[in-house]
Amino acid sequence: MFIAIMIWIGTMLFSFILSTFLCYKVEKSGVKRWGATGRIFKYK
């Protein structure tokens, strides 16, 4: 049970970090996307 919960928490953290990193890379690249506001990563 403890191992299963730790794997679940690890998966959630890994997904959150990976998605944040990928969003940062996309917004940093300057690609214009629908819905991009730039408020989170200071997109210009």
Side-chain angles (χ1 to χ4, degrees), residues 15-33:
S15 299
F16 178 75
I17 292 170
L18 182 64
S19 62
T20 303
F21 173 74
L22 291 177
C23 285
Y24 174 77
K25 295 289 282 185
V26 167
E27 292 198 356
K28 196 76 171 178
S29 69
V31 176
K32 299 288 183 184
R33 294 179 292 120

Side-chain angles (χ1 to χ4, degrees), residues 1-12:
M1 182 76 177
F2 177 74
I3 294 172
I5 290 174
M6 293 308 292
I7 290 172
W8 179 63
I9 291 172
T11 303
M12 285 195 322

